Amino acid sequence: MPRQPGHKRGYAASAAVAFPRVEAFLDAIVGSIATHDMTIVRSGDCFEIASPYGAANLKVEPGILHLSVETDSRPALNRLKHALVGPISFIAASEDLVFEWTGDETGLTPLEDLRVLRVRRASQLTPRVRRIVFTGEDLFRFDREDQLHCRLIFQPRGVVSPRWPALNDRGHIVWPEHGKLATRVYTIRAIDPAQGQITIDFALHEHAGPATRWAVEASEGDIVGIVGPAAEGPKPAQFYVLAGDETGLPGIARILGRLGADVRGVAFIEMDGAHEIQPLVHPPDVEVRWLDRKGAEPGTTALLADAVRSVIWPADLGEAFFWGGCEHRTFRQIHRHLRNDVGLPRQRQVFYSHWHRSLSEEQIVAVGGEAYLPD
Ligand SMILES: Cc1cc2nc3c(=O)[nH]c(=O)nc-3n(C[C@H](O)[C@H](O)[C@H](O)COP(=O)(O)OP(=O)(O)OC[C@H]3O[C@@H](n4cnc5c(N)ncnc54)[C@H](O)[C@@H]3O)c2cc1C
């Protein structure tokens, strides 16, 4: 456990989790934890983790995964447990893991990173993209170019006193008595914490689940919770390839707007119809190519995968960086190509499966890594 010399943290707990197939899941678990704003240093079978909530440690033994956490504040203890238990339970959903902690217990605690947002204005950016500008207080933690994503908790319309989930001593979410609220992952398209403002672009789709329905109906004053941030942003490079559908577009647009004027590359964006083209700020030598699926169902075309296959990469892949987000099947195809044909090193890419053509987010969580990870 990394510690400042002489620094004793106030709260500590550990768990030994029976996990017969731990080795098979380890890389994916460590990768997933790392995308949640945590840095991990491996030494042998031990992983030392630094997070905004405190310090943690993973240790692998045959059939057992040992977890330990140390934090300075009371609510941070359960939040740090959750930061481990969440990704581990999701990636290894098939393994039905049980987390029993020993050590300090704090009882139910609020989510330390939760902030309350209210809709300031909602407008149709294009026919299929609804832009919602939210206001809230103390949003500085979300203003990170290396952590672009967040999880939104959708409150019912018209609620006066919203109630929020809490975390228990096992690191699990406990929902208020009146029931579970829908949550979904979105990209922070723009943020201005000094003005208390966050902008999210919601891609509207025909099989609308709770998030899309909420966005379609949203009007001034409606409330969501936001937690995070999570998931890596771009890394310094000379040559960028960005690829996404409407759900990847907010991240691509944000990244393009921050790239230096002298970088080269290409951004591929799949959309449906010329009216979906948005004006994007981008460096002169990064080409933006809009790939029109012309009425085909989202997630059914080869447009994005073919476009990425057409890229001529620099000889030195250390100069290149790939960032993307799209439907799961396309994600797997592109991932395979980057690994097998391009040989792009893992640390030169950040790529997420954003949605699954035949699964809602709850179903993806129930299936786990198989519905989310590359093959
Ligand atoms: C890291 C990350 C960042 C993301 N950022 C954004 C973002 O900035 N903007 C954005 O719009 N989305 C984004 N998404 C995707 C978004 O979270 C999903 O599309 C989510 O499933 C939408 O929730 P829902 O309640 O509408 O649909 P769900 O209840 O999850 O699904 C209902 C049905 O809709 C289908 N479906 C889900 N999403 C789509 C879609 N986009 N197109 C067509 N069919 C769909 C499913 O297959 C399912 O059949 C992101 C996802 C991830 C993981």
PDB file of all heavy atoms in Angstrom, residues 2 11 82 98 215:
ATOM      1  N   PRO A   2       0.785   2.126  -1.032  1.00  0.00           N
ATOM      2  CA  PRO A   2       1.654   3.309  -1.033  1.00  0.00           C
ATOM      3  C   PRO A   2       1.240   4.289   0.056  1.00  0.00           C
ATOM      4  O   PRO A   2       0.066   4.594   0.199  1.00  0.00           O
ATOM      5  CB  PRO A   2       1.407   3.910  -2.430  1.00  0.00           C
ATOM      6  CG  PRO A   2       0.128   3.334  -2.900  1.00  0.00           C
ATOM      7  CD  PRO A   2      -0.129   2.090  -2.143  1.00  0.00           C
ATOM      8  N   TYR A  11      -8.971   5.182   7.681  1.00  0.00           N
ATOM      9  CA  TYR A  11      -9.898   4.064   7.501  1.00  0.00           C
ATOM     10  C   TYR A  11      -9.255   3.002   6.607  1.00  0.00           C
ATOM     11  O   TYR A  11      -8.633   3.327   5.592  1.00  0.00           O
ATOM     12  CB  TYR A  11     -11.194   4.550   6.851  1.00  0.00           C
ATOM     13  CG  TYR A  11     -11.910   5.592   7.681  1.00  0.00           C
ATOM     14  CD1 TYR A  11     -11.569   6.938   7.551  1.00  0.00           C
ATOM     15  CD2 TYR A  11     -12.884   5.238   8.601  1.00  0.00           C
ATOM     16  CE1 TYR A  11     -12.197   7.899   8.316  1.00  0.00           C
ATOM     17  CE2 TYR A  11     -13.519   6.196   9.366  1.00  0.00           C
ATOM     18  CZ  TYR A  11     -13.167   7.528   9.228  1.00  0.00           C
ATOM     19  OH  TYR A  11     -13.785   8.478   9.990  1.00  0.00           O
ATOM     20  N   HIS A  82     -16.165   0.490  -3.732  1.00  0.00           N
ATOM     21  CA  HIS A  82     -17.030   0.422  -4.921  1.00  0.00           C
ATOM     22  C   HIS A  82     -16.213   0.555  -6.212  1.00  0.00           C
ATOM     23  O   HIS A  82     -16.509  -0.107  -7.214  1.00  0.00           O
ATOM     24  CB  HIS A  82     -18.082   1.529  -4.849  1.00  0.00           C
ATOM     25  CG  HIS A  82     -18.999   1.561  -6.035  1.00  0.00           C
ATOM     26  ND1 HIS A  82     -19.895   0.548  -6.303  1.00  0.00           N
ATOM     27  CD2 HIS A  82     -19.130   2.462  -7.037  1.00  0.00           C
ATOM     28  CE1 HIS A  82     -20.551   0.833  -7.420  1.00  0.00           C
ATOM     29  NE2 HIS A  82     -20.100   1.977  -7.889  1.00  0.00           N
ATOM     30  N   VAL A  98     -18.318 -13.003  -4.357  1.00  0.00           N
ATOM     31  CA  VAL A  98     -18.874 -12.461  -3.111  1.00  0.00           C
ATOM     32  C   VAL A  98     -17.766 -11.668  -2.406  1.00  0.00           C
ATOM     33  O   VAL A  98     -16.663 -12.188  -2.187  1.00  0.00           O
ATOM     34  CB  VAL A  98     -19.375 -13.594  -2.191  1.00  0.00           C
ATOM     35  CG1 VAL A  98     -19.898 -13.014  -0.876  1.00  0.00           C
ATOM     36  CG2 VAL A  98     -20.465 -14.396  -2.910  1.00  0.00           C
ATOM     37  N   ALA A 215     -33.966  12.205 -22.199  1.00  0.00           N
ATOM     38  CA  ALA A 215     -33.387  13.324 -22.952  1.00  0.00           C
ATOM     39  C   ALA A 215     -34.418  13.961 -23.883  1.00  0.00           C
ATOM     40  O   ALA A 215     -34.486  15.185 -24.020  1.00  0.00           O
ATOM     41  CB  ALA A 215     -32.187  12.838 -23.755  1.00  0.00           C
TER      42      ALA A 215
END
